[in-house]
Amino acid sequence: MDSENSESIDQQSPWHIVIVGGGFAGLRCALELAPHDNIHVTLLDKNNYQQFHPLLYQVAASILSPTNAAFALRDMLRNFDNVDVQMDEVTSIDLAQRTVHTAAGNSFSGDFLVLATGSRVNFFGIPGADKFTLPLYTLTDAEKLRSAILEAFEAADRKPDNIPAGLLNFVVVGGGPTGVEMAGTLSDMLTRVLPKEFRHIDPARAQVFLIEMAPAVLGTFSPASQTYAATALKEHGVQLRIGTAVKEVTPNEVLLSDGSRIPSKLVIWAAGIKAAIVPTQPAAPREPNGRLKVQPDLSVPGFDDVYVIGDLANATDSDAKPLPQLAAVAQQAGRQCARNIVASISGERTTPFVYSDRGILAMIGRNAAIAELGKQHHELVGPIAFAAWLGVHLALLTVVRAKFEAIVEWSWQYFTGEHPGQLIDR
Ligand SMILES: Cc1cc2nc3c(=O)[nH]c(=O)nc-3n(C[C@H](O)[C@H](O)[C@H](O)COP(=O)(O)OP(=O)(O)OC[C@H]3O[C@@H](n4cnc5c(N)ncnc54)[C@H](O)[C@@H]3O)c2cc1C
């Protein structure tokens, strides 16, 4: 529906809701609005799929295929005649008119506008980081990474007596959950896949380094969990460089703040994100952390019919602390936003968003994980946490087929040690 069409909405016409971004937040909002007959939704995303970020590192490590970590939006919304999906990039937004303009030259106006564009990778201006590292934020990133890892194995196997310096040094930058999961799983891949499948390579030549500038990995977890994670990573063969920042990345090495250098041709960037801002007119109010300011009900101050949800929003808890940028926060915000829109349409008051914290998790590698469950963050580690991680991520998957496929792939990989998705994508 374009702006001209939406202008003609009258009392009998459905209310038109334009949602920008079909990720965890925007998709959940669309799914909650869809059963309402008096509502028509236009969901815009620059991709035709929802990316399931928590599983991207498993695509990079050849455990899952891309179709296990990204799901077609049209397919997920196919049963709702009142939901239109458009693959198009939104390039500017008029808040007062609740109108978005797209790269394809279209405009969409709604009675309500929902902004849910998420985050994008942040290189913090570190020299060489944007040119010579591979980030892990999108499905495309994960596929590129998978190919780069496998290319390195293949190149080393072709000339095992003349492996270029750093070819098998894999450096992961950032010791948050993404970096820890990537480093642990990659290290498992070196111990389980290399000896069996790349038999000409001496496995001792391959190493995984994890660089974290803070004094501990997993900054948002408890000190006990951080200690467990550091020990488990070392047991899984990861070389930790804690309290050390990356100063520069070149095509052949990583320079660290302690003056040391790690020769490497494959540096994985998992060190940070920033809000994926689309220019708005007038400028939407931002917090110092770059996220957009929202009122307790998730609407933009001064624009009651414009909502911001997910990573883009600086929604806060009861202590006014920004909520973490997590899938669960985004999904719950998407649901609350839909409820508030329905309430507004019905002439009722909107209600504040209250995040129900069910905990945080991180996978380190085979049988090693950390779960801090419930609001009190009760700690679990080891195989029980490993099982909890699997269960929670299955629950987060919206698509039933994906749940079945993930169970099959994880079980297969667990018992056989195989990484079946080892395809180099050229
Ligand atoms: C590698 C990685 C691992 C993670 N692991 C976990 C985890 O284990 N557990 C957890 O809870 N959270 C995890 N997160 C965080 C979680 O993925 C985010 O908090 C969540 O995706 C936020 O949801 P969102 O809807 O705000 O953004 P997204 O899910 O990123 O969705 C944003 C959507 O907007 C679209 N978009 C962006 N700009 C435009 C535009 N201009 N026009 C049109 N469309 C646009 C994008 O294509 C995307 O589909 C992880 C994040 C990453 C990067």
Side-chain angles (χ1 to χ4, degrees):
M1 191 183 290
D2 63 26
S3 50
E4 288 81 51
N5 293 338
S6 69
E7 296 302 333
S8 67
I9 285 177
D10 58 28
Q11 293 303 320
Q12 310 306 317
S13 303
W15 294 79
H16 185 208
I17 322 295
V18 175
I19 302 177
V20 185
F24 281 98
L27 174 64
R28 175 52 49 195
C29 185
L31 286 166
E32 295 285 328
L33 291 171
H36 296 270
D37 291 338
N38 61 342
I39 283 177
H40 185 96
V41 176
T42 300
L43 178 64
L44 294 151
D45 200 296
K46 60 185 176 182
N47 297 309
N48 76 338
Y49 48 80
Q50 183 219 357
Q51 305 173 89
F52 197 86
H53 297 103
L55 296 181
L56 290 181
Y57 79 94
Q58 299 207 0
V59 174
S62 311
I63 295 171
L64 294 179
S65 79
T67 53
N68 297 128
F71 311 106
L73 290 168
R74 286 179 191 275
D75 185 41
M76 286 189 283
L77 293 160
R78 65 194 296 196
N79 292 329
F80 300 106
D81 291 342
N82 58 337
V83 180
D84 275 338
V85 176
Q86 285 282 301
M87 188 180 113
D88 203 350
E89 179 164 0
V90 172
T91 49
S92 65
I93 299 168
D94 184 329
L95 294 179
Q97 301 299 318
R98 298 178 303 278
T99 299
V100 303
H101 306 285
T102 73
N106 288 331
S107 297
F108 298 84
S109 295
D111 300 289
F112 294 86
L113 178 58
V114 179
L115 307 182
T117 49
S119 301
R120 59 170 69 115
V121 63
N122 191 351
F123 294 107
F124 301 104
I126 293 170
D130 57 342
K131 279 204 189 89
F132 305 119
T133 72
L134 289 176
L136 179 57
Y137 194 78
T138 64
L139 181 67
T140 314
D141 293 338
E143 291 178 285
K144 277 189 192 159
L145 206 42
R146 179 192 62 200
S147 291
I149 294 165
L150 296 170
E151 294 267 19
F153 290 176
E154 294 291 354
D157 198 65
R158 273 196 303 272
K159 296 201 170 162
D161 300 325
N162 191 19
I163 297 176
L167 181 67
L168 293 178
N169 283 348
F170 302 100
V171 177
V172 180
V173 185
T178 301
V180 164
E181 291 178 335
M182 190 67 238
T185 309
L186 189 49
S187 200
D188 279 353
M189 199 175 167
L190 300 187
T191 37
R192 300 188 91 202
V193 174
L194 271 193
K196 276 196 173 168
E197 299 180 24
F198 295 85
R199 296 186 197 122
H200 303 109
I201 305 174
D202 172 5
R205 301 282 309 267
Q207 299 182 84
V208 176
F209 297 82
L210 178 60
I211 319 291
E212 169 55 52
M213 65 187 282
V217 292
L218 296 181
T220 52
F221 287 66
S222 70
S225 297
Q226 292 170 352
T227 305
Y228 171 84
T231 308
L233 282 164
K234 285 181 199 155
E235 282 170 7
H236 281 251
V238 176
Q239 309 232 10
L240 282 184
R241 297 277 194 279
I242 302 298
T244 314
V246 169
K247 300 298 273 183
E248 188 179 348
V249 185
T250 75
N252 296 315
E253 61 182 5
V254 181
L255 282 66
L256 301 179
S257 55
D258 61 5
S260 62
R261 293 158 184 263
I262 303 173
S264 176
K265 294 187 182 302
L266 208 169
V267 182
I268 301 168
W269 194 260
I273 52 173
K274 59 182 173 189
I277 301 278
V278 176
T280 62
Q281 175 61 41
R286 278 200 226 178
E287 294 291 347
N289 61 16
R291 289 150 78 179
L292 297 189
K293 206 177 242 199
V294 287
Q295 306 189 91
D297 68 354
L298 300 172
S299 64
V300 176
F303 300 94
D304 288 351
D305 298 336
V306 180
Y307 286 85
V308 183
I309 51 176
D311 279 9
L312 185 63
N314 194 70
T316 53
D317 63 14
S318 52
D319 300 325
K321 270 182 35 195
L323 291 172
Q325 286 162 301
L326 290 174
V329 176
Q331 282 189 335
Q332 289 181 32
R335 188 173 296 124
Q336 179 66 34
C337 172
R339 284 181 186 154
N340 280 342
I341 289 172
V342 171
S344 292
I345 289 173
S346 317
E348 293 164 16
R349 292 167 78 98
T350 60
T351 49
F353 171 48
V354 180
Y355 172 53
S356 164
D357 184 359
R358 290 173 196 146
I360 46 178
L361 301 105
M363 174 76 88
I364 296 159
R366 191 175 158 77
N367 279 335
I370 298 166
E372 294 186 359
L373 298 182
K375 207 175 162 106
Q376 303 306 321
H377 283 205
H378 294 294
E379 291 159 15
L380 294 176
V381 295
I384 299 176
F386 184 80
W389 187 98
L390 296 176
V392 166
H393 285 81
L394 277 180
L396 271 176
L397 285 165
T398 314
V399 178
V400 177
R401 173 189 55 76
K403 290 182 199 274
F404 281 116
E405 286 184 6
I407 291 171
V408 171
E409 296 294 356
W410 287 337
S411 310
W412 189 262
Q413 198 261 339
Y414 185 85
F415 291 111
T416 66
E418 290 173 13
H419 286 230
Q422 290 178 59
L423 304 180
I424 293 177
D425 184 357
R426 291 201 165 114

